[in-house]
Amino acid sequence: LPKKIKALFNRFYNFLITKNFYSSEVSLNIFPTRISNLINNSNCDLVHFHYIGSETISLNDIGNINKKIIFTFHDFWPLQGIRHLRTNKIKSFLKGDLKKMNIIDKIIFKKKIKNFKKISVAVLLNKEMYNFSKKSILFKRKELYLMRNSINQKIYKPLQKKKCKKELNLNKKKYILFGSATPFSDNNKNFKLVVKLSNYLIKKYKEEDLGFIFFGNSVNDKKLLKRINIEYIDFGFLKNENKIAQLYNASDVLLCPSYYETLNQMAIESISCGTPVVAFNQGGLKDIVSNGVNGYLIRKYSFTNFFERVEYILNNKKFINQSLRKEFHKQMRKYSNQSVARDHAEMYKNVFKKN
């Protein structure tokens, strides 16, 4: 089928499930693809999957691949049925208890049981997902690796805050940063909390003292931004990493209120730039944020505690200390391109040795 038809079907099905036309929370991967032919006829010895949802490759086509396969999980879709985010039925999926699955999940999960046999290695991006995979009927007998996403620490580093604010035309005393690829329409990013936070802070700060910075694809979300009661600047979709690093440096705190994050890239980049993070205590954020050191991890889902920690960072001068910000940068060295590349090279060597 043409890509446009598959994309339209995927969007329509997501809307039926989530009531959000821009959502990508579910994937079926049922439409036929011929990617296995390209792979099998190529000279490659190994295939490394990352995100394959949204009909990128059909589950049946994965079963047709005759090369060694590594699969890096970026969400819970490989472990469950159709949903990318963790569900309250995760234990049933780990056990393979088909009786407790709805009809659609059951069909897709059966396809995964059959076709994921071709996957040799699973790469997990946080400790929590690694532990789930060890219990999964789909992956517990496969080789598992705990890895990390990487960042360019030559770009994401502490810069002079005043200089960054001047170059970005930011004139407030304090700034709160929030963003992602789809920061407002993606329900998982929890923009509702950001709105509530603005209502909380407007009573405590003068207009000239505090502002919000947003960035990400917000073309379809301008109406949602009107809910923010504090002056804000929306930088929209940014490709320039140097400008993104400037935003981190110009900000006083990064918000990560997502319901779940496998490994939040923004949190890593922000801390590497010396800017603390406030997030809920879940998923990969538990591996990134050192509670009380480079940010705060909030008990799920205590909004009041979240707001209080944001306010504490805004009012605490220690977080703008340049030496402390440089220390944050050092803490993120394990996420540097060089470190992550070495780990992957070692994994590939081990995989080929066992072949």
Side-chain angles (χ1 to χ4, degrees):
L1 288 175
K3 288 182 180 180
K4 287 185 177 180
I5 293 178
K6 289 195 289 185
L8 188 62
F9 171 83
N10 192 66
R11 180 164 285 189
F12 175 71
Y13 190 76
N14 268 276
F15 177 76
L16 289 179
I17 299 294
T18 67
K19 308 305 178 188
N20 182 349
F21 191 69
Y22 300 101
S23 170
S24 56
E25 292 180 27
V26 301
S27 291
L28 299 178
N29 287 46
I30 55 173
F31 287 113
T33 55
R34 297 178 181 177
I35 296 175
S36 62
N37 291 338
L38 294 173
I39 293 171
N40 292 336
N41 293 326
S42 73
N43 294 323
C44 76
D45 298 299
L46 183 149
V47 181
H48 193 156
F49 287 145
H50 282 266
Y51 179 86
I52 59 170
S54 304
E55 302 298 329
T56 302
I57 180 172
S58 74
L59 291 167
N60 289 340
D61 210 15
I62 292 173
N64 294 329
I65 295 173
N66 58 23
K67 310 279 186 175
K68 209 169 188 68
I69 301 174
I70 296 176
F71 193 175
T72 293
F73 298 1
H74 289 271
D75 50 42
F76 275 88
W77 186 80
L79 299 173
Q80 300 183 139
I82 65 172
R83 288 191 176 269
H84 288 275
L85 297 178
R86 177 181 167 180
T87 70
N88 56 12
K89 293 184 179 179
I90 181 64
K91 290 183 179 179
S92 298
F93 287 115
L94 296 179
K95 294 176 182 176
D97 190 348
L98 297 174
K99 294 180 181 179
K100 294 184 179 180
M101 301 178 197
N102 63 47
I103 185 65
I104 302 298
D105 275 328
K106 188 182 294 185
I107 292 170
I108 300 303
F109 198 81
K110 281 183 176 180
K111 285 182 173 290
K112 289 181 180 180
I113 291 174
K114 177 184 176 182
N115 295 298
F116 280 5
K117 290 177 181 177
K118 292 295 184 78
I119 298 171
S120 307
V121 178
V123 176
L124 299 314
L125 297 176
N126 68 56
K127 294 173 185 175
E128 183 178 82
M129 194 167 283
Y130 180 85
N131 291 329
F132 276 128
S133 299
K134 287 198 296 185
K135 299 174 183 177
S136 168
I137 189 173
L138 296 173
F139 291 95
K140 64 183 179 182
R141 291 184 178 85
K142 300 185 187 300
E143 199 171 352
L144 304 178
Y145 284 86
L146 182 61
M147 292 284 186
R148 297 172 295 276
N149 283 342
S150 69
I151 62 169
N152 186 345
Q153 281 205 303
K154 292 181 180 178
I155 293 176
Y156 297 104
K157 61 185 179 182
L159 303 171
Q160 291 298 321
K161 189 176 290 288
K162 287 183 179 180
K163 184 179 179 182
C164 290
K165 289 172 76 171
K166 184 177 180 180
E167 291 178 357
L168 294 168
N169 294 316
L170 301 172
N171 53 20
K172 303 287 185 183
K173 289 182 180 179
K174 300 284 183 179
Y175 279 97
I176 297 171
L177 180 63
F178 176 76
S180 76
T182 51
F184 313 117
S185 59
D186 185 345
N187 293 331
N188 181 54
K189 299 302 179 183
N190 200 3
F191 180 64
K192 291 178 182 179
L193 181 140
V194 182
V195 175
K196 290 179 180 179
L197 177 62
S198 73
N199 292 331
Y200 173 82
L201 294 174
I202 196 171
K203 304 169 187 176
K204 295 174 174 284
Y205 289 87
K206 296 177 181 178
E207 184 179 345
E208 65 269 18
D209 288 344
L210 185 65
F212 275 89
I213 297 173
F214 299 116
F215 75 95
N217 190 354
S218 57
V219 174
N220 303 300
D221 308 316
K222 295 297 183 183
K223 291 181 181 179
L224 295 175
L225 274 173
K226 292 180 180 179
R227 299 176 188 174
I228 296 294
N229 293 317
I230 291 177
E231 189 175 329
Y232 65 83
I233 295 178
D234 178 21
F235 283 86
F237 181 73
L238 294 175
K239 288 185 178 181
N240 188 319
E241 286 193 272
N242 288 297
K243 189 166 186 177
I244 295 172
Q246 279 187 310
L247 288 182
Y248 289 128
N249 276 278
S251 303
D252 295 276
V253 59
L254 171 72
L255 305 180
C256 291
S258 302
Y259 292 109
Y260 192 86
E261 291 285 352
T262 305
L263 194 72
N264 189 285
Q265 194 79 358
M266 283 187 63
I268 301 168
E269 292 167 354
S270 180
I271 295 171
S272 188
C273 287
T275 300
V277 173
V278 178
F280 286 119
N281 189 25
Q282 47 79 12
L285 286 160
K286 292 191 290 188
D287 299 348
I288 300 166
V289 180
S290 298
N291 194 35
V293 180
N294 53 28
Y296 289 97
L297 292 170
I298 310 303
R299 177 175 54 85
K300 298 186 292 186
Y301 289 101
S302 174
F303 289 1
T304 302
N305 193 217
F306 195 102
F307 299 164
E308 288 173 348
R309 287 305 179 186
V310 170
E311 188 179 7
Y312 176 77
I313 289 174
L314 292 174
N315 294 335
N316 197 320
K317 291 183 179 180
K318 80 170 187 177
F319 289 105
I320 60 173
N321 180 283
Q322 194 67 8
S323 60
L324 181 64
R325 296 179 68 221
K326 288 179 180 178
E327 184 60 33
F328 288 0
H329 182 75
K330 291 178 182 177
Q331 292 167 8
M332 294 295 107
R333 280 180 180 168
K334 61 184 176 181
Y335 296 100
S336 69
N337 288 341
Q338 295 83 353
S339 177
V340 175
R342 282 194 297 268
D343 291 343
H344 274 76
E346 190 63 30
M347 176 185 69
Y348 291 141
K349 286 179 184 177
N350 291 336
V351 170
F352 282 124
K353 281 180 183 178
K354 295 178 181 180
N355 189 11

